[in-house]
Amino acid sequence: QVQLVESGGGLVQPGGSLRLSCAASGSIFIGAMGWYRQAPGKQRELVASITRGGTTYYADSVKGRFTISRDNTKNTLYLEMNSLKAEDTAVYYCNAKGPTFGESWGQGTQVTVSA
C-alpha cells in the first residue's frame, strides 16, 4: 500500500488560485495518478489525470483553468487551480495506481471557493 498525503487546500475567493500537492510515501513505482473531487451530496468525480509519461486528461468543467503535473523523482502530484468558481468547492482526493499496490487514495483536502 502506498500512502498519499495531500496538502494545499483552503478557502479562496472566486477567481482565485490554489495549488494542491500529493506526496506518495517511499520509492515505489507509480503509474497513472489523478485528482478526484466530491462535493456534498454528489458522487466523486475525476477532475484530472496524468500518466507516468505525462499524458493528461481533464474534465470539461476544469479545462483551461486547472493544470495537473507530477514529479516522478519525488513521487509527487500537483494540481494548479486558477479562476476558481464556487462550483469547484469540494473535497479533493489524490489517486495513484501501480503494479505492486493496485490503487491508493489520499485522505482528501477541502477546497472552498467563497466570497
Side-chain angles (χ1 to χ4, degrees):
Q1 190 78 3
V2 171
Q3 185 177 8
L4 303 174
V5 179
E6 299 113 334
S7 60
L11 173 64
V12 64
Q13 292 186 341
S17 300
L18 281 176
R19 189 190 195 210
L20 305 183
S21 298
C22 170
S25 62
S27 301
I28 191 168
F29 183 90
I30 298 176
M33 301 184 79
W35 289 98
Y36 290 70
R37 67 186 181 188
Q38 187 166 19
K42 295 187 177 182
Q43 289 189 332
R44 189 173 298 188
E45 62 175 357
L46 175 63
V47 175
S49 65
I50 184 168
T51 66
R52 188 172 182 85
T55 300
T56 58
Y57 163 85
Y58 295 95
D60 287 342
S61 59
V62 306
K63 279 182 182 176
R65 300 188 298 121
F66 290 12
T67 302
I68 189 171
S69 61
R70 66 189 287 175
D71 185 336
N72 292 331
T73 64
K74 298 179 180 179
N75 269 351
T76 302
L77 178 70
Y78 305 97
L79 185 68
E80 186 75 36
M81 305 185 292
N82 298 313
S83 302
L84 282 161
K85 307 174 182 179
E87 50 263 44
D88 295 318
T89 296
V91 178
Y92 284 70
Y93 297 91
C94 175
N95 175 275
K97 297 179 176 63
T100 60
F101 61 91
E103 183 175 38
S104 285
W105 291 89
Q107 80 287 354
T109 185
Q110 177 70 46
V111 171
T112 302
V113 184
S114 175

